[in-house]
Each structure stands twice: as structure tokens, then as C-alpha cells.
Amino acid sequence: MKEALNIDWANLSFGYIPTDYNVRCYYKNGEWGEIETTSSELIPMHMAATCLHYGQEAFEGMKAFRGKDGKVRVFRMDENAKRIAQSAEGIMMPAIPQEKFEEMVKMVVRLNERFIPPYESGASLYIRPLQVGITAQVGVKPAKEYLFVIFVSPVGPYFKGGFTKTTPYVITRKYDRAAPLGTGTFKVGGNYAASLRASCEAHAAGYSAEFYLDAKEKKYMDECGAANFFGIKNNTYITPLSSSILPSITNKSLIQLAEDLGLKVERRPVPEEELATLEEAGACGTAAVISPIERIDDPEKNCSYVISKDGKPGPVCTKLYNTLRGIQLGELEDVHNWNTIVIE
């Protein structure tokens, strides 16, 4: 008999809450093994594991939603399967097959069904796939053995206030998140470690997150915090094109929805000066979906680009957000077949 849950669904933070099970799979002798289920939150690991010393680690972030109809949906998990495979191969790890990835996602959601927040709570079940090299070695070379694990946790909005208000960002030139030909297009822990100092400094100064310029010329908009960036002007959805930006599944979805709504879409380098012409802007990703941007400050140039003058999300951001959320929650028709119904 499991203990009854005592969770305030409406006031969840974006944090970790223990659940009943996680699922695991090991790669040994050149092949992936059988899926295992465990209640342990610990990973037995040798102190010389390659993930600890040489950064052989990749992960994903995705969500399951309980819909208006009671069904539980996972959003675009095929895209997460493809992206973690690309990340793994980018740092010389064997990619887990898409079929096994999707089987593990379905399994871990079903095993932890009681932790899926109710419809209209504003919360969701966050799903974290993780792959790490576990071979014990001291030489700089790829591991021979790997662990793939997926755990889940119910979470609330990534930013306090959710979508209802805009937030300020600050441009940093002191730090680079990723180099053009580095690992920026892969979802690996090293990219996030590289952002911690800039992120902490931005938060300490009262900003929602830091904003990176391109590492090569410091002229073009790159990523904002750990999210992709987009701007709206002249009925056009504009998002940076760069070889150091993680390909966001949320951004990819918003691009499609923008086209569905009749907007033009431009993926191109976005010079900093263009911020002054934007009518709306947002950071986008799995955790926040869309975080509308109020303004972007550039301390080194002693200027501010004010995007939202009333502190509220603009009409296009609002429409995109409501459409995407409506699809995830089963409120709107899933015309692009993005959802996988895991629990009827």
C-alpha cells in the first residue's frame, strides 16, 4: 500500500519530488540490454566513470499532461528521441534506439501515474531521460559501457507567475555559452555548467536570465539563458540561426504554429540592434513553453531594448502559447499528431 499523496498541485515549484519508479537500460558488449525498473533514486557508479571526468553525459526534458478528457499525453517524444540520439553521437556515445526510448517513456509515465498533476492545475509531469558513460578509466577516450535512465517529477511553472507577466533579461559579453563548432547544438551537461556563472550573476542583478551573443563576433543574438529566443514584428516570427544553438523542440513547434496562424517565419542571424524594432519577444523551451520578455538590457552599451511597455505578453505570444498548451492538454485538435496518448 503506497502512501497517499500530499501535494499542493496548484503551487508546485519547478523542482524534484520523489516518485515511485524510474526505468533503466545498460549498454554493454556493444548492445543495449533489457529495460529495468527500480524504486532506487541512486546510481551505482565507479569514481573513474567517464561521465564524471570527461563529460560523457546527455539528457532531455519533456512533459506528460493530463488532459481535459482525462487522457495522459506526452508531447513530441519522437523529437526528444531523435535529439538525445544526436547529442549522444556528438560526444561519442551509442544512441539508444528510438523504439526503446519511447517504450521507456511510456513505461515510466504509467508506473508513476499517480504523480501526474490534475487537469487545470497548471502543473505537469516532467520527464528526464539521461545517458551517462560509466566505464572506469583515466584515459581521455569514450566509455565502453553506458547507462540510460529516465525519471519523472511533478513540476509547476518554470518561472514564477508563469506566462502572465513579462520578465527582463540582460546581455552578457563576459561569458560564452558555447562555441560555433563546439557542443552547443547538443543537450549535454557541459553547456549548462558553462552558463552557471553568468546565470547566477544575472539573477543577483534582478534579471530573469542572461542573454548570450554569438561567441565569434558578439554581434548576433544567440540563446537566452537555457532557452531559444524568438521575436515578432511585421507579422513575422524571427528566431536566430546559429551553429551553437540547441535545436529547441518547443521552438520548432512554435514555428509550425506561427505558420499555421499566417505568420511568416525567418530563421537567420539576428543582430542586437534589431531588438529595438521588435513588437514582441520570448524565450521558449520545454520548461517554460514561452517566457515573454519585457526588455533586454545591455549594460556595456548602457542601453535597454524595451519590448513590452505594459509588462504583459503581446497578442501573438499569447496566441502561440494558448495554442501550444491547448494541443498539449487535448483542448485543441492535434492536427500535426504531436501527442502520444500514454494513458487512456
Side-chain angles (χ1 to χ4, degrees):
M1 180 73 69
K2 291 183 170 65
E3 295 181 6
L5 296 180
N6 184 23
I7 298 176
D8 184 358
W9 299 110
N11 293 296
L12 276 177
S13 64
F14 193 86
Y16 175 75
I17 292 177
T19 53
D20 291 331
Y21 301 101
N22 60 83
V23 294
R24 306 179 181 194
C25 186
Y26 287 90
Y27 180 91
K28 297 180 179 180
N29 301 316
E31 62 181 11
W32 289 99
E34 297 298 316
I35 299 171
E36 304 173 12
T37 301
T38 179
S39 294
S40 174
E41 298 175 79
L42 305 179
I43 297 176
M45 187 176 295
H46 197 283
M47 61 184 175
T50 56
C51 65
L52 300 178
H53 299 266
Y54 306 121
Q56 269 201 301
E57 178 269 358
F59 69 99
E60 275 299 318
M62 47 201 299
K63 288 180 177 178
F65 304 88
R66 193 179 299 278
K68 187 175 183 178
D69 55 6
K71 297 178 181 180
V72 175
R73 295 167 171 83
V74 176
F75 185 70
R76 303 201 78 170
M77 69 175 172
D78 58 326
E79 291 292 334
N80 291 98
K82 295 172 186 175
R83 190 169 67 177
I84 199 169
Q86 293 168 352
S87 295
E89 291 169 348
I91 56 172
M92 299 302 290
M93 298 196 298
I96 190 162
Q98 182 171 335
E99 298 78 14
K100 188 175 287 288
F101 177 96
E102 295 186 3
E103 181 182 358
M104 292 177 72
V105 170
K106 294 175 185 177
M107 184 180 296
V108 76
V109 171
R110 290 168 181 159
L111 287 170
N112 295 287
E113 180 179 359
R114 71 195 190 108
F115 289 92
I116 302 172
Y119 173 69
E120 287 191 325
S121 64
S124 57
L125 186 73
Y126 187 76
I127 306 167
R128 172 53 60 86
L130 170 70
Q131 183 173 338
V132 292
I134 58 174
T135 302
Q137 60 190 37
V138 293
V140 183
K141 58 184 177 181
K144 295 181 180 178
E145 297 182 352
Y146 298 87
L147 167 64
F148 189 88
V149 57
I150 306 180
F151 66 85
V152 298
S153 177
V155 298
Y158 189 75
F159 293 111
K160 291 181 180 180
F163 180 76
T164 60
K165 64 177 183 178
T166 56
T167 54
Y169 285 70
V170 60
I171 290 173
T172 179
R173 289 181 177 78
K174 292 169 61 179
Y175 310 106
D176 293 322
R177 187 192 69 87
L181 300 179
T183 60
T185 56
F186 308 133
K187 198 169 179 67
V188 296
N191 295 338
Y192 295 81
S195 73
L196 291 177
R197 183 180 293 274
S199 177
C200 288
E201 290 184 5
H203 291 157
Y207 294 97
S208 176
E210 74 282 12
F211 208 128
Y212 298 97
L213 301 177
D214 72 288
K216 186 176 181 180
E217 298 183 82
K218 300 289 188 183
K219 292 181 179 180
Y220 302 98
M221 310 311 293
D222 205 274
E223 285 204 0
C224 38
N228 274 198
F229 170 74
F230 70 89
I232 305 293
K233 71 173 184 179
N234 301 328
N235 200 46
T236 304
Y237 182 103
I238 302 164
T239 192
L241 179 64
S242 164
S243 59
S244 63
I245 293 177
L246 180 73
S248 164
I249 296 166
T250 303
N251 198 3
K252 183 176 183 178
S253 304
L254 293 174
I255 286 171
Q256 180 62 64
L257 294 179
E259 292 178 340
D260 293 347
L261 294 172
L263 275 73
K264 294 179 288 184
V265 171
E266 294 179 0
R267 294 188 70 233
R268 57 172 172 77
V270 180
E272 178 187 340
E273 294 73 21
E274 191 171 353
L275 295 177
T277 68
L278 297 181
E279 300 161 12
E280 302 178 43
C284 60
T286 298
V289 183
I290 294 176
S291 176
I293 295 174
E294 176 185 355
R295 72 177 194 276
I296 301 173
D297 292 347
D298 187 340
E300 291 192 28
K301 288 188 175 181
N302 194 31
C303 69
S304 292
Y305 303 97
V306 178
I307 299 169
S308 173
K309 294 180 174 59
D310 60 2
K312 298 178 181 179
V316 177
C317 282
T318 300
K319 183 64 174 177
L320 289 171
Y321 176 83
N322 289 338
T323 302
L324 185 58
R325 289 286 290 160
I327 293 170
Q328 292 174 333
L329 294 171
E331 298 169 342
L332 297 177
E333 184 181 0
D334 181 16
V335 296
H336 299 291
N337 297 313
W338 286 339
N339 290 318
T340 298
I341 297 176
V342 176
I343 300 173
E344 293 282 352

